Amino acid sequence: LAKVPALFHRLLCSLSLSPRFPTRSQMFAAEENVDFRIHVENQTRARDDVSRKQLRLYQLYSRTSGKHIQVLGRRISAKGEDGDKYAQLLVETDTFGSQVRIKGKETDFYLCMNRKGKLVGK
């Protein structure tokens, strides 16, 4: 009977040192070397069908003018008062990453940037 625990002990030792079961230090080393940049880049390219679409209502404040951003159709202004109907902006998100769309609630025009870097509504 004394041989049975010794055999059992040898079996446990061989299993714990087996390459199929990494040691604790090997597991932590593997976790430290993980790079998710490629996964994030791939996920942000396409729309995400798994996540639910989020709509939030915001007002964007301009420090330069001291007023709120307004979407007045194709024209964008930074002269809106707090609570102005044209200063209410819907921020839509439906992707994995940080891609958002900003739309004027009243006009349904999106806040865009032209090739010169000027804000326009489309």
Side-chain angles (χ1 to χ4, degrees):
L1 291 176
K3 290 182 180 180
V4 174
L7 289 173
F8 186 70
H9 178 70
R10 270 192 247 146
L11 178 64
L12 285 177
C13 289
S14 67
L15 285 176
S16 64
L17 297 175
S18 170
R20 289 178 289 163
F21 301 105
T23 64
R24 187 174 175 90
S25 62
Q26 289 172 338
M27 286 191 295
F28 286 123
E31 289 176 9
E32 291 173 5
N33 296 330
V34 175
D35 184 12
F36 288 106
R37 283 184 288 177
I38 295 169
H39 173 71
V40 171
E41 286 176 17
N42 291 337
Q43 293 298 318
T44 55
R45 286 189 185 138
R47 295 259 167 97
D48 186 6
D49 295 333
V50 178
S51 300
R52 64 176 196 246
K53 186 175 181 177
Q54 292 186 358
L55 288 172
R56 297 190 186 234
L57 189 63
Y58 289 104
Q59 292 186 121
L60 292 178
Y61 182 79
S62 170
R63 286 185 182 176
T64 307
S65 68
K67 304 275 184 168
H68 293 279
I69 305 296
Q70 293 178 305
V71 179
L72 305 164
R74 296 194 185 277
R75 214 175 81 231
I76 306 298
S77 161
K79 299 176 183 176
E81 294 296 328
D82 188 27
D84 186 281
K85 66 179 183 178
Y86 293 104
Q88 295 180 4
L89 306 175
L90 284 171
V91 178
E92 304 172 358
T93 61
D94 61 354
T95 57
F96 172 77
S98 58
Q99 297 177 4
V100 297
R101 289 182 303 278
I102 302 174
K103 179 171 74 168
K105 182 181 175 188
E106 185 69 23
T107 61
D108 282 339
F109 276 75
Y110 286 94
L111 186 63
C112 301
M113 196 174 283
N114 66 12
R115 289 192 176 127
K116 295 178 184 178
K118 184 178 177 183
L119 291 175
V120 295
K122 286 194 176 195

